[in-house]
Amino acid sequence: MKKYSLLNTLLYSFILSLIMMSCTENAFITVVDVDTAGHRSKLAVTARFIKDSPSDKGPQYIYLTASKGINDLADIKQVPNAEVSIREGEQKVDEGIYVDSIPSLYFTEKKVSGYRMEWEGYQPGHTYTLKVKAEGFEPVSATIVMPDKSVINSVQYISQGFTDPDGGEKLDEIVVGMDNLEKGKYYLAELDYVQFYQNGTKLDSAVSSEYLQPEGPLYHRTTNGGLLFRGEDILGLSNKEIRLAKGQGPIDVVHPNNYYQLHLYNITKDQYAFILSVEQYDNIGENPFVEPVVVYSNIENGFGIFSLEYHQTIKIKP
């Protein structure tokens, strides 16, 4: 009797274990042990140097912060006491000086620190390397080539020179002839309207941003109304010209001194990819069903962007 009872107990236990396993499988429950090392903070660099900058002449800055984990809700930490340098080939040409609070920042009211860079001798076609070291972080670097400056040979403002293919609206057009417009080059264009007011015996002026309209599908709009494009995107539409459409001019009384100013930036391939990815990231919003966008970085062993650009302002009378 004892043997029979023991056999029944074992058989019952085995059947019960099979039922439990079957229930677990049917419930689609899988337990996996995962060894997670956690987030290891890296250096995040923002270094955009603009030769012939549209802003006031003076030093330019490198902003240096520590990267955060996805679930880290703490404030972004800035990194002081780092070694920041720029080299032309093997020669060091500039060394960053830490500034605890950078004045006159248009994009934030918070206190921001960074590294002031004084050197302005960047030359087209030369190779430059940014190197950053800071205690507690892996050293980072980025190497780029300074782009050529566009050679402008003509500028035209054509009233209602472009017809919007979507709505048939007539748009004003700016046509800029460029001798060295070529494939493999990258550009950013932005447009301002400079408007004058008569105040007694004094003329006051105001500057406002205008939105440029793509004339082809390969132009990319930026958040502030500019256009991002490559040389090959333009050469397919016209020969050695960039054609930028815009809406009709201001509806108020136009002062005879009013004019447009076109900001044309010659940028690197890295900066093109970075701006494009940031715009795509911003356009996603909070939609959980859109494929995630990874913001482009050219910082080795870290995150961010090192960019060298040529800028020129072209005055245009309507």
Side-chain angles (χ1 to χ4, degrees):
M1 293 292 294
K2 288 183 179 180
K3 290 183 179 180
Y4 180 77
S5 178
L6 178 62
L7 181 61
N8 283 345
T9 301
L10 291 175
L11 183 60
Y12 176 78
S13 299
F14 177 72
I15 294 173
L16 182 61
S17 65
L18 288 179
I19 293 174
M20 292 178 66
M21 290 176 62
S22 176
C23 290
T24 302
E25 182 179 357
N26 291 337
F28 299 101
I29 297 175
T30 303
V31 179
V32 179
D33 292 329
V34 179
D35 183 17
T36 57
H39 175 73
R40 181 184 177 187
S41 188
K42 295 185 177 182
L43 292 174
V45 182
T46 303
R48 182 186 183 189
F49 295 151
I50 305 174
K51 195 171 179 66
D52 301 331
S53 171
S55 60
D56 294 336
K57 292 291 183 180
Q60 302 193 71
Y61 294 88
I62 292 177
Y63 304 97
L64 189 61
T65 59
S67 68
K68 301 196 309 178
I70 294 177
N71 296 319
D72 187 352
L73 300 179
D75 291 338
I76 294 175
K77 295 181 180 179
Q78 299 170 56
V79 181
N81 306 318
E83 296 179 21
V84 179
S85 64
I86 293 179
R87 298 175 180 272
E88 182 177 359
E90 298 299 322
Q91 180 183 1
K92 183 189 292 186
V93 295
D94 202 358
E95 189 166 0
I97 300 173
Y98 181 73
V99 178
D100 182 60
S101 183
I102 299 172
S104 304
L105 286 177
Y106 66 92
F107 56 83
T108 180
E109 296 180 355
K110 294 183 178 180
K111 181 179 176 181
V112 177
S113 65
Y115 294 82
R116 187 175 72 239
M117 313 300 289
E118 300 281 359
W119 194 68
E120 299 178 350
Y122 301 102
Q123 297 296 323
H126 290 208
T127 300
Y128 299 93
T129 300
L130 169 67
K131 292 181 175 289
V132 182
K133 294 180 180 179
E135 186 177 354
F137 298 91
E138 188 175 0
V140 302
S141 64
T143 300
I144 57 175
V145 177
M146 179 75 181
D148 294 334
K149 185 176 182 178
S150 293
V151 178
I152 308 299
N153 55 35
S154 64
V155 180
Q156 290 179 284
Y157 187 94
I158 305 174
S159 179
Q160 300 186 359
F162 177 74
T163 303
D164 188 346
D166 292 332
E169 181 184 6
K170 293 287 187 179
L171 303 175
D172 293 353
E173 186 179 42
I174 296 170
V175 181
V176 181
M178 294 169 48
D179 282 345
N180 60 343
L181 177 62
E182 298 172 359
K183 292 182 178 180
K185 293 186 176 182
Y186 302 85
Y187 306 88
L188 173 65
E190 298 172 347
L191 187 67
D192 290 337
Y193 183 63
V194 182
Q195 189 172 10
F196 289 86
Y197 304 93
Q198 189 78 41
N199 182 15
T201 59
K202 180 183 177 182
L203 280 178
D204 295 327
S205 64
V207 179
S208 58
S209 297
E210 297 282 325
Y211 279 83
L212 291 168
Q213 174 74 25
E215 289 197 11
L218 298 181
Y219 288 85
H220 299 282
R221 259 185 173 160
T222 63
T223 303
N224 62 350
L227 290 180
L228 187 70
F229 52 94
R230 305 171 300 172
E232 48 263 46
D233 301 339
I234 304 303
L235 292 172
L237 301 174
S238 61
N239 184 31
K240 299 294 183 179
E241 291 179 340
I242 61 171
R243 308 180 74 92
L244 307 170
K246 62 167 294 296
Q248 298 301 318
I251 60 175
D252 60 337
V253 177
V254 177
H255 193 281
N257 290 346
N258 291 0
Y259 64 91
Y260 292 99
Q261 54 184 14
L262 177 68
H263 300 283
L264 183 62
Y265 298 85
N266 298 91
I267 63 177
T268 63
K269 181 179 181 180
D270 286 339
Q271 178 71 342
Y272 175 88
F274 173 75
I275 297 175
L276 186 60
S277 66
V278 168
E279 294 295 330
Q280 292 171 339
Y281 177 86
D282 288 341
N283 290 336
I284 286 178
E286 298 181 359
N287 188 343
F289 302 108
V290 176
E291 183 178 351
V293 173
V294 177
V295 175
Y296 180 85
S297 169
N298 68 349
I299 304 297
E300 186 177 350
N301 298 326
F303 304 102
I305 186 70
F306 173 39
S307 169
L308 291 173
E309 308 169 32
Y310 248 120
H311 166 268
Q312 56 186 308
T313 301
I314 306 162
K315 184 176 179 180
I316 303 169
K317 290 288 290 184

